[in-house]
Amino acid sequence: MAKFTYSALTREGKRLNGNVEASSKAAASKLLADQKLKVLSLKEDKGGFDPNNIKIPFLTSQKVKTKDLVIFTRQLSTMINAGVPLVRALATLQTQTESDTFKEILVAIAKDVESGIALADALRKHPKAFSPVYVNMVAAGESGGILDDILKRLAIQQEKSATMKKKIKSASTYPMVLFAITILAFFGLMIFVIPKIGGIITDLGGPDAQLPPYTKAMLGLSSFVIKRWYIMLAGGIISAITFKRWKSTPKGRYQWHAILLKLPVLKTIIAKIAIARFSRTFASLMTSGVGVLDALQVTGAAIGNDVVEAELKKAAQEVKNGKQLSDPIAQSQIFPPIVSQMLAIGEETGQIDTILIKVADFYEEEVDAVIDSLSSIIEPIMIVFMGGMVGLIAAS
């Protein structure tokens, strides 16, 4: 795609100057005309230094925001429904996004589609922006001739997922801040307060004074933190790197996810989130016409928990052997009986997608309730923990 600099007039007579990307000058002129602009001048930008277009890698976000993806999905659905050709719709949407990263991706996708590649295949080249669920649903929409309808469902699904992530993030922010403050307070006391108090006690009791065991332990810990801080720092860094590498391996990731599913309270939240994501994603794929086996494979990868993904792969194998999906789900240690029962009803009535959407709505409400209650419980627990730590130091 080439870049063109233009000067144009709006319907109201307002002069606009800007840039547009298109495959040719004629395509750029048509793109501006579609936006109801009267072109005054149109020149190809040959490049060169532009101080307003300097990109610093570590300051420029390379991630496509969910908000940008949802807006793109809804606008593309509307334009396709209105009969706008796909290539022209993609070219128009390039100028609508404010994200430079997403704009570059759309330019590449439009170029691929213009060369005859299917939209789903063009999207598949950009996995950081478009998930396997997104790509598979678009592929099903293209094959079934219902791409506009599929894109609407995708936008709704993305908004639901983004809302859940936002609530989880907001609920976890407060305890993380409190924990960080607790750690800082501990080291502050160890480095600045305890040594002074220890000096006062030694001066009052003399060098031969017999101190209580707790006091000796606290003074010893304070001395270790001050004199051997580099050991603690190195140990912390090595532990963090080791944990990250372990978690990045398939075996370590699976074991970590299994541990999370055994922790009190947290296991309930993770299980409910997994069920909600499975139900909504699987229902969307089934509605789009994706086969059960393919839908299970894509859904498992989209849930984000290797233990749940392994269970869904096992379920897919049993479905391949002739069983109904509700049978292996009923044997699951993660999915509660109500999910398998609802699936069985859906299989009998032929309305799996409709029933699973209701299951997803129910569990999303359950997640909201658990997160709200957890937020109210964590605050006093963290305060008691901080108070107990300070109290222990004061008592010693």
Side-chain angles (χ1 to χ4, degrees), residues 15-192:
R15 190 184 184 103
L16 290 179
N17 297 312
N19 298 314
V20 64
E21 292 178 344
S23 57
S24 64
K25 189 173 182 179
S29 179
K30 185 171 181 58
L31 179 61
L32 294 170
D34 291 339
Q35 298 179 39
K36 310 300 181 184
L37 296 175
K38 183 179 180 181
V39 180
L40 300 177
S41 65
L42 183 64
K43 298 178 181 178
E44 185 176 355
D45 189 351
K46 299 294 185 180
F49 177 74
D50 183 2
N52 297 319
N53 196 33
I54 299 175
K55 295 181 181 179
I56 303 175
F58 59 87
L59 294 179
T60 306
S61 175
Q62 299 298 315
K63 188 177 180 181
V64 177
K65 296 180 180 178
T66 303
K67 178 183 175 183
D68 293 331
L69 195 58
V70 170
I71 292 172
F72 162 76
T73 305
R74 285 197 179 279
Q75 289 179 338
L76 183 60
S77 171
T78 302
M79 295 180 78
I80 292 174
N81 189 42
V84 179
L86 183 57
V87 175
R88 188 186 300 178
L90 290 170
T92 302
L93 292 176
Q94 294 168 23
T95 62
Q96 303 298 319
T97 180
E98 297 177 357
S99 169
D100 291 335
T101 301
F102 196 36
K103 184 178 293 185
E104 291 175 3
I105 291 173
L106 293 182
V107 169
I109 291 171
K111 188 175 181 180
D112 286 340
V113 172
E114 192 174 13
S115 65
I117 297 176
L119 177 60
D121 294 331
L123 298 178
R124 194 173 282 110
K125 294 182 179 181
H126 307 278
K128 291 185 178 180
F130 302 97
S131 67
V133 175
Y134 196 107
V135 173
N136 278 273
M137 288 184 68
V138 168
E142 284 184 300
S143 62
I146 51 171
L147 184 57
D148 55 336
D149 187 44
I150 294 300
L151 288 171
K152 285 181 184 177
R153 294 175 187 173
L154 264 173
I156 294 172
Q157 182 177 334
Q158 289 167 346
E159 287 171 342
K160 292 276 188 181
S161 179
T163 300
M164 185 180 293
K165 286 180 180 178
K166 187 176 180 181
K167 288 181 178 179
I168 294 170
K169 186 177 180 179
S170 62
S172 61
T173 299
Y174 184 72
M176 289 176 66
V177 170
L178 280 180
F179 182 74
I181 292 173
T182 303
I183 298 299
L184 290 174
F186 172 77
F187 282 104
L189 289 170
M190 289 293 107
I191 295 171
F192 300 108

Side-chain angles (χ1 to χ4, degrees), residues 192-370:
F192 300 108
V193 179
I194 297 299
K196 291 184 178 181
I197 295 177
I200 294 172
I201 293 173
T202 303
D203 291 340
L204 291 174
D208 298 327
Q210 294 296 319
L211 300 177
Y214 288 132
T215 306
K216 288 182 179 180
M218 197 62 64
L219 290 173
L221 179 60
S222 175
S223 177
F224 179 81
V225 170
I226 294 172
K227 295 179 180 179
R228 301 286 188 269
W229 59 269
Y230 53 88
I231 296 178
M232 297 184 66
L233 180 61
I237 293 173
I238 292 171
S239 299
I241 293 174
T242 303
F243 174 74
K244 187 175 181 181
R245 287 185 176 179
W246 169 73
K247 202 174 72 167
S248 64
T249 63
K251 184 179 179 181
R253 181 180 167 89
Y254 183 90
Q255 290 174 343
W256 173 243
H257 288 167
I259 291 170
L260 291 177
L261 285 170
K262 293 178 181 178
L263 295 177
V265 181
L266 195 59
K267 65 180 181 181
T268 303
I269 298 176
I270 294 174
K272 289 178 185 288
I273 292 172
I275 295 167
R277 284 181 179 171
F278 161 77
S279 302
R280 190 169 295 282
T281 306
F282 188 77
S284 298
L285 290 168
M286 290 293 291
T287 305
S288 306
V290 179
V292 175
L293 296 178
D294 291 336
L296 283 172
Q297 181 180 356
V298 174
T299 303
I303 286 176
N305 187 290
D306 285 10
V307 178
V308 180
E309 183 178 358
E311 288 210 354
L312 290 179
K313 285 182 179 178
K314 184 179 177 181
Q317 187 60 44
E318 295 196 30
V319 170
K320 190 176 181 180
N321 293 334
K323 289 187 177 181
Q324 296 282 5
L325 178 59
S326 56
D327 294 337
I329 294 296
Q331 307 300 321
S332 171
Q333 300 296 318
I334 297 171
F335 293 89
I338 187 174
V339 177
S340 61
Q341 292 169 8
M342 295 290 279
L343 264 174
I345 294 172
E347 288 165 346
E348 291 174 5
T349 60
Q351 296 181 335
I352 292 180
D353 52 344
T354 304
I355 288 178
L356 284 181
I357 288 293
K358 293 179 180 178
V359 172
D361 291 338
F362 171 76
Y363 276 98
E364 283 168 1
E365 291 177 2
E366 285 281 297
V367 171
D368 291 344
V370 172

